[in-house]
């Protein structure tokens, strides 16, 4: 039996100038993500440096990337009642541009 492939949660949110705090979200979400084996690889803070090379990118959007041990672990976290109960602490303050879950091909 092969080991599960890593999965990634790729999230982009709008960071309007003077947006409210997402500290309450972080305080509750980080322990849930860590318990599911999630690791933050890229944090999309308001001063995130990046170069837009191709395609369409929405103004004021930032990117966050989490790695999980498997798609099952990621989706179990995402769909859990605990996470769904706190998700609004993020989306009410910094509206999502997009959020995707993708499994590693290697």
């Amino acid at each position: 039996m092969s080991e599960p492939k890593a999965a990634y949660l790729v999230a982009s949110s709008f960071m309007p100038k003077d947006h409210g705090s997402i500290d309450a979200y972080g305080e509750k979400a980080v322990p849930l993500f860590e318990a599911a084996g999630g690791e933050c690889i890229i944090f999309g803070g308001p001063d995130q440096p990046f170069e837009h090379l191709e395609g369409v990118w929405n103004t004021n959007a930032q990117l966050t990337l989490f790695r999980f041990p498997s798609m099952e672990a990621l989706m179990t976290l995402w769909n859990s009642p605990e996470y769904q109960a706190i998700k609004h602490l993020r989306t009410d303050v910094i509206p999502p541009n997009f959020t995707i879950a993708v499994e590693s091909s290697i």
Side-chain angles (χ1 to χ4, degrees), residues 25-88:
Y25 171 78
E27 290 169 8
K28 294 181 182 219
V30 168
L32 295 175
F33 277 53
E34 288 176 348
E39 171 190 10
C40 184
I41 296 173
I42 298 171
F43 174 70
D47 297 322
Q48 181 182 50
F50 69 92
E51 296 292 331
H52 176 206
L53 302 176
E54 292 182 328
V56 176
W57 189 258
N58 291 311
T59 303
N60 293 325
Q62 300 300 323
L63 184 80
T64 298
L65 177 67
F66 282 91
R67 181 183 186 280
F68 286 83
S70 67
M71 184 64 83
E72 180 181 7
L74 190 164
M75 295 309 296
T76 297
L77 163 75
W78 187 263
N79 294 314
S80 72
E82 295 83 5
Y83 183 71
Q84 290 301 309
I86 66 162
K87 186 170 81 167
H88 74 93

